[in-house]
Amino acid sequence: MDRRQEILEAATKSFTLFGYKATTMEQVSKIANVGKGTIYTFFANKEILFQEIVMSLIREMQAEADAVLDASASFMDNAHNALMKMLQFREQHLLFAKLIEEEKELRTPAVKQVLIRIESEILSYVAQLIQRRIDRGEIKDCDTQLVSYLLFKAYLAFVVDWHDLHGDSIPEEKILNLFKETIFRGLTLT
């Protein structure tokens, strides 16, 4: 493994354990077993290092969502599977979970900006899924940005927020049926 990758892995570990605000370049250098100067050879500052890690996180989340897409499946099934996969990733990925926790508790501006960027990437991803199906004539023409926002926020509410507020989870099949009978029905051509 090269030094740059070792530094990225060490920084990811530090951000995951301590959060953005509490992570220092000194901690990263100790975890990576390199001098601080070596880190600065690759990354000008903590913010740039953090941005690199976040971009890797976004690529990983998109790859997981891509893996559940099926070209022969309906828009509804693909949208559902991709959104569920991204929300599962959000909840299970330790760094992502730590960032969400830090933003809630400390309101760290850099973390807030990163979470906004991640959400923007998710919305763009979903909008592209919608646009491809519009172009194929499978669903109605619509404002892809607004529909992707509606889908993402609604899924987030039922998958994450519902559990936080009510203490129990809604079964995935029930969520799919709810969306099938409401939002997805409004997008179908028939």
Side-chain angles (χ1 to χ4, degrees):
M1 187 182 325
D2 66 21
R3 288 269 189 223
R4 186 176 192 284
Q5 189 59 37
E6 288 174 355
I7 292 165
L8 286 168
E9 288 182 12
T12 300
K13 185 175 185 178
S14 184
F15 289 129
T16 301
L17 291 172
F18 308 112
Y20 174 80
K21 195 170 197 169
T23 290
T24 64
M25 294 300 252
E26 182 72 32
Q27 287 171 323
V28 174
S29 71
K30 286 180 183 174
I31 294 169
N33 200 26
V34 299
K36 276 191 347 185
T38 303
I39 295 174
Y40 290 113
T41 301
F42 296 102
F43 305 98
N45 54 45
K46 181 171 96 169
E47 292 76 22
I48 291 171
L49 178 58
F50 186 53
Q51 291 298 323
E52 178 77 21
I53 290 166
V54 168
M55 288 309 300
S56 177
L57 179 86
I58 289 168
R59 287 188 298 271
E60 186 181 340
M61 181 175 53
Q62 288 175 339
E64 287 197 21
D66 284 343
V68 299
L69 296 179
D70 179 356
S72 64
S74 69
F75 164 72
M76 175 189 64
D77 288 336
N78 275 329
H80 173 78
N81 291 337
L83 284 161
M84 290 299 291
K85 182 55 78 175
M86 287 188 282
L87 289 173
Q88 288 167 356
F89 182 90
R90 180 183 185 271
E91 294 301 306
Q92 294 169 355
H93 195 282
L94 297 177
L95 175 57
F96 205 156
K98 184 67 171 181
L99 295 175
I100 292 167
E101 176 186 319
E102 182 172 338
E103 204 286 318
K104 283 182 184 175
E105 292 178 9
L106 302 177
R107 304 252 185 245
T108 307
V111 171
K112 182 177 178 133
Q113 288 303 102
V114 158
L115 291 175
I116 289 169
R117 183 173 185 182
I118 292 169
E119 183 174 302
S120 175
E121 291 291 333
I122 291 170
L123 294 172
S124 176
Y125 180 89
V126 175
Q128 289 171 20
L129 289 177
I130 294 167
Q131 188 61 56
R132 282 196 298 263
R133 295 304 176 118
I134 291 169
D135 293 344
R136 287 184 181 162
E138 294 177 27
I139 62 174
K140 292 177 185 174
D141 191 17
C142 62
D143 185 323
T144 59
Q145 287 183 313
L146 292 178
V147 174
S148 65
Y149 185 84
L150 172 67
L151 285 170
F152 176 68
K153 291 298 188 171
Y155 265 84
L156 185 64
F158 283 110
V159 174
V160 178
D161 298 342
W162 183 273
H163 180 270
D164 291 347
L165 292 172
H166 300 282
D168 62 339
S169 298
I170 301 172
E172 185 176 338
E173 186 67 29
K174 190 170 186 174
I175 293 170
L176 176 59
N177 287 332
L178 173 66
F179 281 85
K180 189 184 296 187
E181 295 302 318
T182 56
I183 298 170
F184 291 129
R185 180 185 287 183
L187 292 172
T188 59
L189 290 170
T190 55

